[in-house]
Amino acid sequence: MSASRSAALDPDTARTWLATAITEARSGLGEGGIPIGAALFTRDGVLLGSGHNRRVQDEDASTHAETAAFRSAGRRRGYGDTVMVTTLSPCWYCSGLVRQFGIGAVVIGESRTFSGGHDWLAGLGVEILDLDDPECIELLGSFVAEHPELWGEDIGE
């Protein structure tokens, strides 16, 4: 099922799902990593998997929050009925994951600190809901202010 044939995402439901991603982001921060979290849900609210950025902890540049959530969700025949929920606008790498597997929608906690490929995804028909969540803005904003060199590494600067 494509995003265009599904009912639009409900912002209140999306905020409930975002809580899972925020919990993951806080776990990553507690481990000494970058506080970005993600979760993959079905449109009807079943949590398939969640994860957080583990680039620092694993010394693996490919372990972004969205990829960790995707990996923990396991294998599915299709992803059109799924929603990637992330505390931050997905980078180009993670936007490519959404595109490659046909994930139907993305809920973004915030895109002020970093704006990745979500406009590109929207242009391809992926439903995008940016919640501009104050908790997400504060969480990552504080981290960037305290660790600019690590943040620059994460976003490829």
Side-chain angles (χ1 to χ4, degrees):
M1 173 184 286
S2 72
S4 62
R5 290 185 276 164
S6 299
L9 291 169
D10 173 61
D12 291 332
T13 300
R15 286 186 191 286
T16 300
W17 296 345
L18 181 62
T20 301
I22 291 171
T23 297
E24 286 285 351
R26 292 198 180 283
S27 292
L29 182 62
E31 295 169 0
I34 298 165
I36 303 171
L40 187 66
F41 286 89
T42 63
R43 278 205 175 250
D44 59 0
V46 176
L47 175 63
L48 300 172
S50 64
H52 52 271
N53 185 303
R54 295 192 51 85
R55 294 180 77 252
V56 174
Q57 300 92 311
D58 296 347
E59 297 208 14
D60 179 352
S62 70
T63 311
H64 290 207
E66 297 88 343
T67 59
F70 184 76
R71 288 173 181 155
S72 75
R75 197 172 134 211
R76 292 176 58 90
R77 174 131 171 79
Y79 296 87
D81 68 335
T82 64
V83 180
M84 181 63 76
V85 181
T86 180
T87 58
L88 184 67
S89 174
C91 69
W92 286 103
Y93 171 64
C94 294
S95 294
L97 179 141
V98 169
R99 173 69 173 112
Q100 173 68 33
F101 291 97
I103 293 171
V106 178
V107 171
I108 299 166
E110 69 109 337
S111 61
R112 293 183 190 197
T113 305
F114 177 81
S115 184
H118 68 267
D119 287 337
W120 173 69
L121 289 170
L124 294 170
V126 176
E127 183 179 0
I128 303 294
L129 177 58
D130 187 341
L131 296 173
D132 199 30
D133 182 79
E135 186 176 0
C136 291
I137 293 166
E138 191 283 322
L139 181 62
L140 195 55
S142 294
F143 178 83
V144 171
E146 294 170 18
H147 306 281
E149 70 294 335
L150 188 54
W151 175 245
E153 175 189 324
D154 192 63
I155 61 172
E157 289 184 346

